[in-house]
């Protein structure tokens, strides 16, 4: 439900969020009360020492105070377990109980302070009694400090602005008032988010690019979050319900009902060849990450293999390669690619906002000049990722709508300037004039590589791009169609990044709001079952998530997100899951690059299983990635080492790939 209103402001915690912390405190308090009672019963005969009367009074009052606190916490837990996320009616007494609980902290603090003072100055009793009292004082202060930290965590800087409207229903606000409310919230939210981002990224320099990225990121977050009043636990419950709902739909779907987009015989014919090329060029995309990924993939032997390169100073061999900040990256790059020093033209690990590391190498096996762009590995890269608004590109191609993700297009333009203005590509092709240009990258690097290949298409008509796990929100529709001629994207399983864009995030928010609004179970049951389901699996059909018969009369507090999205006719909100998604003009729908090869897992490997996942490869349409899928592997499927293992498995299981010649797939342009 929306956050609770206490002391005239909204907090980032709901009245049904107190079940688990309440149970924890109740458990500790009961143990504490039993321990103090045991101490008092066992040693009350030994309290005739100097200061013993004080200790006896202290323990007696503490037992009474703890009993009152235990009863209050028990009442809070019982009330918090009532109702559902959107039905807070049974929990209407929660605010009063919390006021009582907070008021009890005052005598507890006073009594803990007095106990500490008496122990320090006035008591000379049995050592066991004194140690027991010291333990009670320490526990008292630990709980008090923990409560203060919790209050700081759940403090919502926007709460003072949102509290007066937290319980307003749509019919209490006309269209103009509701619009003014949302505009005010978005303005305040943008300022708050920018402050948060600057604090988290305080170690990054404050150049012009960084300031622009801060503003862009704050605008994105405020646009996405300001029209909902969900607390974090609501989102967690919504994601849990969506995962179960998604699995239930898939389990109940007949095989013939599964949608399949057939790309045609011409694409099927070169699937093996392109898989072979993807497998080969993935080593360059991985090498661009440098030593961190290499050590991660080889935890026991990696450091020994490249340690010498890290420790020794730059040698004449390194001077053959132009670049900066090589450090021990070069050794890992050589190990990953299997190339020699002389095969590299340029390696750069210069890393700033909108400026990505990259390498240029000569691949003699495939007769190609390879440009590999690194993916996300730093705060600067995250800022580049989250500069998600669309910008128009000045491209020399016959495409009407040349727009793309702003941050990634800026990064691609930086690499383009380095390649052309610094003469890096000219140097590479002077060494191998008959070779063709291949551009690769993973994640953020895949998006930059796709845009870079479009920028270089005019001067290098035969350029090829292999984009591994690229972001969905990258290209306009026309650029997406144009990129199919020379770009192949590879997506593994449920990887969230190729499904991630502002449009799909808005769709995810819509689905979370809908599933929460229709859920007939209390939040603590949703989260408990969800944890069990994620860890051990189960039958998703055993946990109903819809109100019986669609009856929503129990929804005493509709979600602000539903109100505002319905009131303003948000194009991204509809109760029909088949409705087309749209976005504000600043965030139009964007698409992944090129033709897409999807590696799908066969069956399931289970939550805790040594079973090695098996994958099948197929050509897929971009529409199969227009919705974020929830699952345990939605993040791990994006990791480059997992992708490399999956590629190894797929290529090994396809005998046809063994006979694929180096030129076969790389030189096929789809028109």
């Amino acid at each position: 439900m929306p956050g609770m209103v206490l002391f005239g402001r909204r907090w980032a915690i709901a009245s049904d969020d107190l079940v688990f912390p309440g149970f924890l405190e109740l458990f500790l308090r009961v143990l504490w009360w039993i321990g103090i009672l045991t101490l008092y019963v066992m040693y009350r005969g030994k309290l005739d020492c100097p200061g013993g009367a004080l200790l006896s009074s202290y323990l007696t009052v503490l037992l009474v105070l703890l009993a009152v606190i235990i009863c209050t916490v028990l009442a809070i837990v019982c009330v918090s377990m009532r109702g559902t996320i959107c039905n807070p009616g049974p929990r209407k007494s929660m605010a009063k109980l919390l006021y009582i609980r907070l008021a009890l902290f005052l005598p507890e603090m006073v009594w803990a302070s007095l106990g500490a003072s008496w122990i320090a100055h006035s008591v000379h009793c049995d050592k066991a009694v004194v140690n027991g009292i010291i333990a009670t004082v320490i526990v008292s202060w630990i709980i008090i400090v923990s409560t203060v930290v919790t209050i700081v965590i759940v403090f919502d800087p926007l709460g003072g602005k949102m509290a007066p409207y937290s319980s307003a229903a749509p019919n209490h606000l006309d269209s103009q008032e509701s619009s003014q409310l949302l505009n005010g919230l978005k303005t305040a939210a943008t300022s708050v988010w920018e402050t948060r981002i600057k604090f988290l990224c305080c170690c990054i320099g404050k150049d012009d690019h960084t300031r622009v990225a801060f503003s862009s990121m704050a605008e994105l977050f405020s646009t996405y979050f300001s029209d909902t009043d969900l607390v974090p636990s609501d989102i967690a419950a919504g994601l849990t319900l969506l995962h179960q709902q998604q699995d239930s739909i898939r389990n109940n779907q007949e095989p013939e009902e599964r949608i399949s987009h057939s790309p045609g015989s011409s694409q099927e014919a070169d699937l093996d060849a392109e898989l072979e090329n993807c497998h080969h060029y993935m080593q360059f995309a991985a090498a661009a990450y440098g030593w961190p990924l290499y050590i991660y993939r080889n935890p026991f032997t990696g450091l020994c293999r490249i340690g010498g390169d890290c420790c020794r100073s730059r040698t004449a061999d390194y001077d053959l390669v132009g670049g900066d900040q090589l450090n021990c990256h070069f050794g890992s790059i050589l190990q990953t690619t299997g190339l020699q020093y002389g095969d590299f033209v340029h390696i750069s690990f210069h890393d700033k906002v909108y400026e990505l590391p990259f390498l240029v190498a000569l691949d003699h096996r495939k007769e190609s000049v390879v440009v590999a762009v690194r993916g996300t590995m730093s705060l600067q890269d995250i800022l580049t990722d989250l500069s998600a608004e669309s910008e128009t590109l000045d491209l020399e191609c016959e495409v009407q709508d040349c727009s793309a993700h702003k941050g990634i297009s800026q990064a691609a333009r930086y690499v383009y300037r380095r390649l052309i203005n610094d003469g890096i590509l000219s140097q590479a092709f002077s060494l191998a004039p008959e070779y063709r240009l291949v551009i690769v990258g993973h994640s953020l690097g895949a998006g930059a590589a796709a845009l870079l290949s479009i920028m270089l298409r005019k001067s290098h008509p035969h350029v090829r791009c292999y984009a591994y796990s690229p972001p969905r929100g990258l290209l306009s529709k026309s650029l997406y169609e144009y990129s199919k001629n020379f770009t192949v994207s590879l997506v593994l399983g449920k990887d969230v990044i190729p499904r991630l864009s502002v449009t799909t995030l808005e769709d995810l928010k819509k689905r979370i709001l809908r599933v929460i609004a229709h859920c007939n179970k209390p939040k603590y049951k949703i989260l408990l079952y969800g944890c069990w389901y994620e860890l051990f699996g189960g039958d998703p059909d055993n946990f109903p998530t819809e109100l019986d018969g669609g009856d929503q009369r129990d929804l005493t507090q509709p979600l602000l997100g539903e109100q505002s999205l319905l009131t303003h006719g948000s194009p991204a909100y509809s109760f029909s899951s088949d409705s087309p998604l749209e976005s504000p003009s600043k965030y139009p729908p964007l698409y992944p690059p090129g033709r897409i090869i999807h590696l799908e897992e066969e069956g399931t490997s289970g939550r805790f299983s040594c079973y090695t996942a098996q994958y099948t490869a197929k050509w897929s349409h971009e529409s199969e990635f227009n919705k974020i899928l929830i699952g345990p592997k939605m993040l791990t499927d994006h990791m480059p080492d997992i992708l490399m293992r999956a590629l190894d498995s797929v290529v090994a299981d396809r005998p046809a790939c063994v006979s694929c010649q180096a030129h076969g797939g790389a030189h096929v342009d789809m028109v």
Side-chain angles (χ1 to χ4, degrees), residues 24-60:
L24 178 60
E25 183 179 0
L26 198 60
F27 175 75
L28 295 176
R29 294 279 186 180
V30 170
L31 286 182
W32 186 10
W33 189 86
I34 293 174
I36 294 174
L37 181 62
T38 303
L39 181 69
Y40 179 75
V41 171
M42 291 179 60
Y43 291 95
R44 64 180 177 179
K46 299 180 181 181
L47 296 178
D48 54 354
C49 53
L54 288 176
L55 284 186
S56 179
S57 300
Y58 176 79
L59 291 176
T60 302

Side-chain angles (χ1 to χ4, degrees), residues 449-466:
L451 280 167
L452 182 61
S453 64
I454 294 175
M455 296 175 183
L456 291 169
R457 173 77 167 168
K458 184 174 180 61
S459 56
H460 298 271
H462 299 292
V463 64
R464 298 287 297 176
C465 175
Y466 292 94

Side-chain angles (χ1 to χ4, degrees), residues 62-75:
L62 185 59
L63 284 171
V64 174
L65 182 60
L66 279 177
V68 175
I69 292 175
I70 288 171
C71 291
T72 305
V73 174
L74 181 61

Side-chain angles (χ1 to χ4, degrees), residues 303-566:
L303 190 59
C304 297
R305 292 177 181 176
I306 67 172
D309 294 291
C310 296
C311 298
R312 67 170 175 255
S313 59
R314 192 179 178 104
T315 65
D317 290 327
Y318 283 74
D319 292 332
L320 296 174
V321 179
D324 49 11
Q325 303 180 20
L326 287 179
N327 299 326
C328 53
H329 290 297
F330 205 174
S332 66
I333 292 172
L334 294 175
Q335 291 286 342
T336 302
T337 60
L339 301 181
Q340 304 298 318
Y341 289 105
D343 295 329
F344 289 89
V345 179
H346 189 89
I347 301 176
S348 170
F349 278 88
H350 169 80
D351 188 14
K352 293 180 66 178
V353 178
Y354 302 153
E355 299 177 4
L356 299 179
F358 67 96
L359 62 86
V360 180
L362 301 178
D363 178 20
H364 302 297
R365 177 185 166 190
K366 294 282 188 178
E367 297 184 355
S368 58
V369 173
V370 181
V371 178
V373 187
R374 196 191 74 181
T376 303
M377 273 201 69
S378 66
L379 283 176
Q380 292 92 328
D381 298 335
I382 293 174
L383 289 173
T384 301
D385 281 315
L386 294 176
S387 297
E389 64 264 34
S390 178
E391 77 168 4
T392 302
L393 305 180
D394 183 17
L395 300 175
E396 297 180 2
C397 61
E398 297 179 358
V399 176
Q400 296 297 322
D401 178 20
C402 293
S403 59
H405 183 292
K406 176 183 176 179
I408 300 178
S409 66
Q410 294 278 350
R413 193 174 291 114
Y414 160 78
V415 178
Y416 176 85
R417 289 195 300 267
R418 292 288 306 274
L419 292 176
I420 302 302
N421 297 344
D422 294 354
I424 297 172
L425 276 187
S426 299
Q427 180 184 354
F429 282 106
S430 67
L431 297 173
E434 72 281 6
Y435 284 11
R436 71 158 42 194
L437 179 62
V438 176
I439 306 176
V440 302
H442 173 265
S443 188
L444 170 62
L451 280 167
L452 182 61
S453 64
I454 294 175
M455 296 175 183
L456 291 169
R457 173 77 167 168
K458 184 174 180 61
S459 56
H460 298 271
H462 299 292
V463 64
R464 298 287 297 176
C465 175
Y466 292 94
Y468 303 93
S469 307
R472 175 176 179 83
L474 182 65
L475 304 174
S476 62
K477 183 72 171 179
S478 54
L479 276 181
Y480 154 68
E481 296 291 347
Y482 176 72
S483 67
K484 287 182 178 180
N485 297 326
F486 50 90
T487 299
V488 172
S489 292
L490 187 74
V491 177
L492 175 64
K494 294 183 178 179
D495 186 353
V496 65
I497 300 302
R499 297 173 168 86
L500 188 63
S501 69
V502 176
T503 305
T504 56
L505 278 175
E506 188 72 15
D507 170 69
L508 179 64
K509 178 172 68 175
K510 175 194 71 173
R511 289 189 284 147
I512 288 175
L513 288 170
R514 184 167 57 240
V515 75
I516 286 176
H518 292 87
C519 182
N520 63 351
K521 299 294 182 183
K523 189 190 297 182
Y524 77 94
K525 286 187 178 180
I526 297 172
L527 295 176
L528 281 176
Y529 186 87
C531 289
W532 180 271
Y533 185 79
E534 295 298 335
L535 292 174
F536 306 107
D539 185 359
D541 294 327
N542 290 338
F543 194 73
T545 60
E546 301 295 324
L547 288 172
D548 295 336
D551 185 6
Q552 300 186 44
R553 289 175 296 177
D554 291 334
L555 303 185
T556 59
Q557 182 148 358
L559 298 170
L560 173 61
E562 287 192 87
Q563 299 170 21
S564 61
L565 290 171
L566 288 173

Side-chain angles (χ1 to χ4, degrees), residues 1-2 4 13-26 71-98 231 233-234 521-528:
M1 64 165 284
M4 286 187 295
I13 187 171
S15 58
D16 54 356
D17 284 340
L18 303 175
V19 176
F20 300 118
F23 264 120
L24 178 60
E25 183 179 0
L26 198 60
C71 291
T72 305
V73 174
L74 181 61
I76 290 173
V77 171
C78 292
V79 171
S80 185
M81 296 172 71
R82 298 175 182 172
T84 63
I85 295 177
C86 290
N87 180 25
R91 302 190 296 271
K92 60 184 178 181
S93 60
M94 180 61 73
K96 296 178 181 178
L97 289 173
L98 286 177
V231 297
S233 60
D234 293 337
K521 299 294 182 183
K523 189 190 297 182
Y524 77 94
K525 286 187 178 180
I526 297 172
L527 295 176
L528 281 176

